[in-house]
Amino acid sequence: MKGQSKAASHAEYIAQLDEPRKSDIAALDTLIRKLAPKMTPFICNGMLAYGPYHYKTASGCEGEWFRIGLASNKNYISLYLCASDATGYVAERFKEALPKANIGRSCVRFKRLADLDSKTLQRMIRETAKAPALG
């Protein structure tokens, strides 16, 4: 899938994908729902999203966003971890633990789920579920 999906549900989003991406996204969806069961799944901006929240910035911008997001892009999978705490952004803390991923402040980009260490991935999801949302 390239660009934003028009899917109305998580199942529809995943069904539109081709293998091997379909299996990786389905496995991540299952893992996120298992490790962060209180985060309601929904579709946001054409992505799989979990844990909706309303944000308002100091400059007055406000809107609806998610705590965890998952997107299938043309060349990679994006896992958005929209959370930080006193020690910084959750995703950034795991740069060294995930050398095959490209990690920014809140985004982990990778080609295959197998490129990520399973225990580190689980820890990231759990920490995001506990940390305050961005915004």
Side-chain angles (χ1 to χ4, degrees), residues 3-100:
Q4 293 180 343
S5 171
K6 303 288 187 225
S9 70
H10 280 225
E12 187 179 332
Y13 183 100
I14 294 167
Q16 293 175 357
L17 300 172
D18 294 326
E19 290 297 348
R21 192 67 66 85
K22 180 186 272 189
S23 294
D24 284 351
I25 295 288
L28 279 164
D29 178 62
T30 299
L31 183 66
I32 293 165
R33 289 174 188 247
K34 176 183 172 190
L35 297 176
K38 293 182 181 178
M39 289 192 175
T40 304
F42 67 109
I43 298 291
C44 182
N45 291 354
M47 296 183 278
L48 302 182
Y50 312 82
Y53 73 95
H54 183 82
Y55 69 88
K56 185 172 184 178
T57 65
S59 66
C61 293
E62 61 183 292
E64 303 302 320
W65 204 237
F66 51 80
R67 301 288 304 279
I68 297 175
L70 185 57
S72 176
N73 299 302
K74 182 178 179 182
N75 295 315
Y76 53 85
I77 296 170
S78 295
L79 174 64
Y80 299 95
L81 305 170
C82 302
S84 65
D85 58 21
T87 61
Y89 292 92
V90 172
E92 283 185 320
R93 290 199 286 261
F94 294 93
K95 278 185 179 182
E96 291 188 22
L98 299 172
K100 290 185 178 182

